[in-house]
Amino acid sequence: MIDTIVLPPAVHIALGVLVMIATLAAMAVTGLLAWRRKGMTAAGHWVMVAAQMALALQILVGVKLLDQGLGVMQLYIHYLGGLGAFFFFLVYYWFRPKTTIRQSWLAFAMSLLAFLFAVQSYFIGQAYVA
């Protein structure tokens, strides 16, 4: 059934913009929490979850487009950058510090790296779209 679904590349591009916005929001919220020396609040966790959901959806759509034979001319750095953004959020949960101040700083650092990787992936991908 999934093989019969055909996705246009515009879906992947639109999701790329959503990922950049979501990771930017995660970076902003966690940065504000770190700057105010607060621990991770519910809002901080939810904005990180939203960014991860956007990334997961983007990855799934990208895999589907590869299955359709699209995107084979992309550079691997585009693929690795997208997965790298997701990986940085995982690092936060793997190594979450015990103190609340360090939690928010680690969340900010990982959100910043995820945002930078998402932006890098988007623009590398755009450079190779026909």
Side-chain angles (χ1 to χ4, degrees):
M1 166 150 169
I2 292 177
D3 288 339
T4 60
I5 299 170
V6 177
L7 291 176
V11 172
H12 194 58
I13 294 168
L15 281 174
V17 172
L18 176 65
V19 165
M20 287 190 297
I21 292 168
T23 55
L24 178 64
M27 183 185 70
V29 170
T30 58
L32 185 63
L33 291 172
W35 183 63
R36 290 184 175 175
R37 299 184 153 280
K38 292 186 177 183
M40 285 295 287
T41 62
H45 285 294
W46 279 110
V47 74
M48 286 182 65
V49 167
Q52 292 170 67
M53 290 174 62
L55 277 162
L57 189 58
Q58 175 73 328
I59 290 166
L60 289 173
V61 169
V63 168
K64 176 60 180 151
L65 289 173
L66 284 173
D67 180 55
Q68 290 174 200
L70 300 172
V72 293
M73 299 299 292
Q74 300 279 336
L75 289 177
Y76 285 107
I77 191 69
H78 172 75
Y79 307 132
L80 293 175
L83 291 172
F86 193 72
F87 172 76
F88 286 119
F89 284 114
L90 292 177
V91 167
Y92 167 73
Y93 292 105
W94 289 342
F95 299 110
R96 199 165 88 181
K98 301 285 185 221
T99 63
T100 57
I101 294 172
R102 287 188 180 191
Q103 283 180 10
S104 58
W105 278 108
L106 181 62
F108 170 65
M110 295 301 104
S111 297
L112 171 66
L113 290 171
F115 172 70
L116 293 174
F117 268 61
V119 168
Q120 172 247 201
S121 298
Y122 179 83
F123 286 105
I124 288 174
Q126 284 294 96
Y128 288 90
V129 173

